[in-house]
Amino acid sequence: MNTQPPVLVLLAAGEASRFGSLKQLALIDGEPMVRRAAQQALACGVPVIVVLGAGAERVAPVLADLPLQMVVHDGWRDGLGSSLAAGVRAVQSTHAQASGVLVMLADQPRLGTALLARLLALHARSPTQIIATAQAGRAGPPVLFPHADFTALAAAGGPHGARDWLHREAARVLLVEPASYGADLSDIDTPDDLRRTGER
């Protein structure tokens, strides 16, 4: 019986090669993108773990005053899957009885909190299902995995995060339409993306 609430893992370890600089620190509404994402995560009322990697020594200070745990993943160059695995291993270490892990990306700065709250609510009702965000009919982040998936996720690797696991476990995946919760899933990969996000 897993008696602890889910843990939210915010992935913020990437190098952002297409952005041209450390995009975690790019300003969204006057604050660093990673801090904005972390504050949205904290608003959910569950423990938050942020996985840092590239430029961790510069990113960590902008989160230092927030009530969250930071994990520096030295293997961030191995891809998103490796960073996800590091986050799940941190959950296993510090929140062993967590009922699930809600995975969120730092480069979706206008996600909002309503969608995250919905994923958590559905998990409470269906704790063995994978609760994912619908993106063109496919499962994507943010996504909430139950405790039973921790072992598989902790061994993940490669550039695609949990995509292979979501495909393999498709029968257990419940999709949530983000538009119903006012969520903007736009991610920031280039300076043009940042400009368009500012315009919105």
Side-chain angles (χ1 to χ4, degrees):
M1 180 70 175
N2 306 113
T3 56
Q4 295 179 2
V7 176
L8 195 153
V9 170
L10 176 63
L11 300 181
E15 183 180 24
S17 57
R18 284 192 289 164
F19 193 78
S21 62
L22 201 59
K23 71 177 177 181
Q24 293 93 324
L25 300 181
L27 296 182
I28 305 288
D29 297 337
E31 66 180 343
M33 180 161 55
V34 68
R35 183 178 176 89
R36 181 185 175 90
Q39 288 175 323
Q40 291 179 101
L42 289 166
C44 295
V46 298
V48 174
I49 294 175
V50 182
V51 180
L52 304 179
E57 71 286 350
R58 294 171 55 198
V59 177
V62 307
L63 302 174
D65 64 321
L66 299 178
L68 49 75
Q69 176 185 348
M70 285 183 273
V71 173
V72 178
H73 177 45
D74 292 334
W76 59 267
R77 292 179 182 82
D78 295 331
L80 185 63
S82 177
S83 296
L84 169 61
V88 173
R89 290 194 296 269
V91 173
Q92 292 175 308
S93 175
T94 59
H95 301 275
Q97 296 303 311
S99 63
V101 57
L102 174 51
V103 180
M104 177 180 167
L105 305 181
D107 62 359
Q108 293 179 324
R110 296 199 183 280
L111 187 65
T113 58
L115 175 62
L116 299 173
R118 181 60 175 165
L119 298 178
L120 289 165
L122 288 171
H123 169 73
R125 286 166 37 189
S126 303
T128 62
Q129 281 192 285
I130 298 170
I131 317 293
T133 302
Q135 299 179 24
R138 300 178 62 179
V143 55
L144 202 159
F145 296 95
H147 186 276
D149 292 344
F150 283 9
T151 299
L153 295 174
H160 301 304
R163 184 184 301 174
D164 291 344
W165 186 248
L166 287 169
H167 179 73
R168 176 178 172 179
E169 299 296 315
R172 296 172 46 227
V173 176
L174 174 62
L175 291 180
V176 177
E177 290 292 339
S180 300
Y181 302 94
D184 182 349
L185 299 183
S186 303
D187 56 2
I188 308 298
D189 288 325
T190 68
D192 281 344
D193 293 337
L194 181 64
R195 176 182 54 78
R196 285 191 290 269
T197 296
E199 290 171 353
R200 282 195 296 274

